[in-house]
Amino acid sequence: MITKRGLFILAGTILIVTAPMLAVAQEWQPRKPIDFVIMAGPGGGADQIARFIQSVAEQKDLTNRPLVPNNQGGGSGAEALIHVSGASDPDHTILVTLNSFFTTPLRQENLGIDIQTFTPIAMMGVDPFVLWVHKDSGITTIDEFVEQVRSMDGEFVMGGTGAGQEDSIVIAYLSGAYDLDIKYIPYEGGGAVAKDLAGKQIMASVNNPAEAKGFYEAGDFVPLLAFSDERMPAYPDVPTIKELGHDFSYYNQRAVVGAPGMSEEAAAYYQDLFAQIYESDEWQGYLESESLSPLWMDAGEQRDYWALQVENHKELLAALGE
Amino acid sequence: MEVLTLLGDGMLLALQPLNLVMILIGVTVGLFIGAMPGLGSVNGVAILLPVTFLVPPASAIIFLAAIYYGAMYGGAISSVTLGIPGASTAVATTFDGRPLARQGRASFALVTAALASFVGGTVANILFTLFAPALASVALSFGPPEVFALMLLAFATFIGLGGDDIPKTIFSICLGLVLGAVGFDQISGAPRLVLFDNTGFLQGIGFLVLAIGVYGIGEMLWTIEQTRGEVTTTTPRMTVKGMASETKEAASRAWKGTTIGSFLGFFVGVLPAAGATPGSLMSYGVAKMVSRKPEDFGKGNPDGVAAPEAANNSASTGSMLPMLTLGIPGSPTTAILLGGMVIWGLVPGPRLFVDETEFVWGLIGSFYISNLVAVLINLAFIPLFVSMLRMPFTILAPMIFVLSIAGGYAATRDMFDVWLMVIFGLGAFFLRKFDYPLAPAVLAIVLGPIAEPTLRQSLLLSSGDPSIFFTRPVAGPITIVALVLIFLPVLRLLRRGRWGS
């Protein structure tokens, strides 16, 4: 009975503490746990961010019902898109997206997903890509990398996320720009890719800094090249591909969207919730420590951004031959 | 031994009044959540995560670990008493736990499960304490070919058993593999086997849906049909003395399964690709294979209860290792723990054991204590769980159906899964009538989705050359053992033929 009473007191305390806030905040509140769908498998960048957001919301007691993370990484995110677009309760279903939000509906038109039907909530930031090798490879610069790949004549192995997803786009551009022949192994998520680079099962990867940071700090990973617009403060010695004369940059969006058909009241609630999370010291600290770039947008700007990204990815995928 | 000092500090930390209360609450809540069909440790940890922000981080992580432990113990309870797997990690426990209960030996099965869980948890904790950093590099040496070889070995233990009808076993495995392939393909991202164009199949077939359908509904129908309702479910009255003698019996009859489960479970748990469910299924297969009476398995062999239960506890501790050292959660529950750690400012990765020694050993210390508390609480509740079986079967059977359906819905909150579960239940009933073993299908639907991508990744690595499975130092021996096991029955058959002539 201790538990029951404890929870009761707990619930009462929360009510008392939050009651004055409720009066000024909007009226809509979640009535049950929120299905917090993640478009990727456990351990990758999107998953890490979702877990972080969940923890911030819990710690600061921002929601009256918990966010329950739900990994649906299958089919390059198609599983998640279908789950969310068919959600029986759109007011309690939100999705942490990455760029497969744009590419998967393009590559699989038969899914019948129109991303403009989704509800914009928050753009939490964009995550750059970096080319990594294992320290035991002896490679320390992009020139050595290019030389090594060419000398291996198609036997140089890189890992990345599923076909047509972010990693394959970046690697395809890299191969084209330097005329490289790379063997590409698809994995279920960035976490598994980083693990297999650490275990030297693959020879290089284009993990996000957040995914590779632990291994970089332990001295196992060597960054060679950044695919960001400018050099990253955490990796000041790593050149960007733009500096080297290739007009290309690529980021993974870290955005939260609501299910199609979400009510305006619920959308306003989540927009406000994620704005609070975005402003928190924790999130700002995360952006800095994990080398994400801030890119805050309101709901209207997000829709325009989606349209722009869909056009960009049409071109990128066409170049990939998809 | 600096490690032991740190570990001792960690245990003392876990024994502080607040933390001890957290452990007691966590284990008890976890036990009941784990015992509810469909709800497992992942739900328990997710639901109670908010509570952890009210107490200091150390107490919070201890609380979560306690829920995790409690749920691992609890999973066995409904597997044994009701025949519905309480969680995906406890599916293998139904194989022999349920037959034992039907023989009126539910309390013995539960005592065996509790003790095996305790031993499994303890062995894993000791292995973790002694070898954690070294094991992290073992996990890293497992690339796609090694993982595939291991999966092949798991299938081999189920085929090369003798006793069972081998063609039927292979049919059952193939059925499971086909069902496991439904949904999106990881490598190309394309949808596969979307039967009748029903979008529900796009998300794949949930393992728990199949398991609850097969064991909760199929087995129950079969039992009703076999016995025409006259089931002996009553058990002798439980006394302290009775439980003491059952403890003795468990020690003498289930030590082998416990040992196998403890070590194999831990090792499988350490691999980021696997986790507790494959660990418990593989341990069951190996325990059956090395048993002197493999034909007893599935009919109430205590080793068949002990192996998966020891393994799922051991694997749960093992799966903490890739989470802490590589930042890759080995199970959905550790993924939630990971989220908790990040917000407390702990960066999982290779540096954690160096930078945050106090946290790491405090956590491990609390595992030891949680495990001890969990076994005591579990043993204390066994009479209560067993008394459920005193209910007449005419009441129990409908209750099991209702619990199965509620559990199937609770896992995904999708009506599609409920219908699928009913269909699987009916299918399983007919397969059972024709004497097809169902455990291999259940194994295949868990291991298939791990084996298939790793097979394809391996062949991509080698440009299509299958010798990659034989030439690599770790994959090679595993593949060869697996192939020997698969062809063992054929060899046996040949030998018998020669003797005959």
Side-chain angles (χ1 to χ4, degrees), chain B residues 26 78 169 257 281 286-287 303 320 322 347 359-360 369 380 410 413 496:
Chain B
S78 60
T169 305
L281 284 161
V286 172
D303 274 330
M320 293 281 172
V347 183
F359 165 79
V360 171
I369 307 289
R413 283 165 287 160
R496 224 175 278 159

Side-chain angles (χ1 to χ4, degrees), chain B residues 340-365:
Chain B
M341 281 174 58
V342 174
I343 192 73
W344 295 314
L346 300 160
V347 183
R351 300 281 308 162
L352 190 73
F353 272 73
V354 185
D355 298 341
E356 303 285 349
T357 40
E358 257 177 62
F359 165 79
V360 171
W361 296 111
L363 177 65
I364 310 298

Side-chain angles (χ1 to χ4, degrees), chain A residues 122-145:
Chain A
M123 171 59 100
M124 303 299 286
V126 288
D127 210 346
F129 287 83
V130 173
L131 175 65
W132 306 91
V133 291
H134 196 279
K135 71 163 191 301
D136 292 353
S137 68
I139 300 170
T140 52
T141 65
I142 179 69
D143 292 335
E144 288 171 20
F145 172 81

